[in-house]
Each structure stands twice: as C-alpha cells, then as structure tokens.
Amino acid sequence: MKYKLLFVCLGNICRSPGAENIMNHLLEERGLTRYISCDSAGTSSYHIGDPPDRRMSITLKNRGLPHQGEARQFTPIDFWDFDLILAMDRSNFRDILALDPSGDHHEKVKLFCEFARHHSLQEVPDPYYGGPDGFEKVADLLHDACEGLLEYLNQQGTVKW
Ligand code: 4NP
C-alpha cells in the first residue's frame, strides 16, 4: 500500500497543485513512486474543474517542472482516503478540521510549512492576488517543504525505502 499525501489550499489552482507537482517530480527523481503518491484539493468550491493558475504554471515550467491538474474541492471522504493532509495556511487548516467535528482524523492534518528546513515561514502565502515574485517565493518554499517532508517520512520510518 502506498502512503498517500494530500496537499490542500483554498482554490486548488496555485499552491496545492504546485506542491503536488513538485512532490511528484521528487518522487520520480528518487525512484519513490512505488512508496508514496499524492493529490491536491481546495477547501473552496471557487475553481472546481479549473486547470492550474497560469502564473504558477509558468513559474514551475521555468524550473523544468510540470503543473498539471484539475481543481477539486476537499471532501470529508479525503480523511479516510489519505494518510497525511498538508494544509498550506492556518485558514485551510481550520477549514479542514471543521469538516471533522469528531476529531478522529485531526492527527493526520498538518501545516505543510512545519516540514520546511530552509524557510521560517509558518504558512505558504496565498500568491493569487500578488505579482510574479510571490509565485517564485511560493515555489521555493514548496520545494523546501517537499524535501523536508520526504526526509521526515524516511527518518520517522513512516515510509521505508
Ligand atoms: P490557491 O490560490 O489557494 O493557492 O489555489 C487561490 C486561488 C484562488 C483564490 C484564492 C487563492 N480565489 O480567491 O479565487
């Protein structure tokens, strides 16, 4: 059974598909696709069915990375389908927990920035209303947190490879 990661932001067009695509790239590069899989979702319904934001796609393309996906909304079924749910900011984190009133799945929801090794930001800033510089910073932070998360999963023995 693969260990399943779900990245979650608000719209599922910028940050969380960015994290998903960066992580998929790292998994392929390191030969880990048989151990770990990932997906992404948004807490809102704003962009359901939309492709990723062009500005994020350009940022990733310039780094030789794809930015594929089709936005979907987070659903409580995701608590059962995924092993670890990574919220991009505190508002996403709260909105996810609110969908689990029993608290049974709260343990598997984390702020993604916890795993960053070279950035001290606590949240992945929402780049949607900003300029291109914001997307570059987000991509750097996502990359850092993806690498940190893989290191954490390996060190904890959560996923063995
Ligand atoms: P994301 O960015 O949560 O990183 O996908 C946003 C996308 C859309 C909106 C806000 C943030 N919006 O308000 O439509």
Side-chain angles (χ1 to χ4, degrees):
M1 281 279 275
K2 286 189 192 182
Y3 189 78
K4 295 176 74 179
L5 304 171
L6 182 66
F7 299 103
V8 182
C9 60
L10 177 65
N12 192 211
I13 55 170
C14 300
R15 294 166 291 175
S16 62
E20 178 191 354
N21 280 279
I22 290 169
M23 184 58 97
N24 274 330
H25 176 78
L26 292 176
L27 294 175
E28 274 165 33
E29 200 174 63
R30 297 176 187 193
L32 300 176
T33 52
R34 81 190 97 144
Y35 304 112
I36 301 172
S37 67
C38 54
D39 191 11
S40 65
T43 54
S44 77
S45 60
Y46 305 156
H47 292 279
I48 292 174
D50 287 356
D53 188 286
R54 252 184 68 78
R55 297 164 296 172
M56 191 80 217
S57 302
I58 289 166
T59 303
L60 293 190
K61 195 171 169 218
N62 288 339
R63 296 168 185 230
L65 301 172
H67 193 221
Q68 297 154 346
E70 182 181 313
R72 73 168 179 91
Q73 190 169 17
F74 181 87
T75 133
I77 296 166
D78 291 321
F79 287 121
W80 301 96
D81 282 350
F82 291 89
D83 298 298
L84 186 59
I85 296 170
L86 299 145
M88 296 296 131
D89 63 33
R90 288 197 188 85
S91 161
N92 308 147
F93 184 80
R94 279 193 300 270
D95 289 343
I96 296 165
L97 295 191
L99 292 171
D100 175 31
S102 69
D104 288 352
H105 303 281
H106 283 197
E107 277 277 295
K108 61 167 75 167
V109 187
K110 309 261 185 236
L111 271 174
F112 190 38
C113 280
E114 273 182 35
F115 300 98
R117 297 285 178 270
H118 306 288
H119 292 78
S120 54
L121 283 176
Q122 310 273 301
E123 306 180 278
V124 183
D126 183 347
Y128 190 67
Y129 293 107
D133 196 38
F135 285 87
E136 293 297 332
K137 287 196 178 124
V138 163
D140 287 344
L141 178 54
L142 294 176
H143 202 126
D144 181 12
C146 280
E147 290 194 317
L149 175 57
L150 287 179
E151 198 178 303
Y152 169 86
L153 293 175
N154 195 18
Q155 273 174 5
Q156 294 290 305
T158 314
V159 188
K160 293 200 195 307
W161 63 80

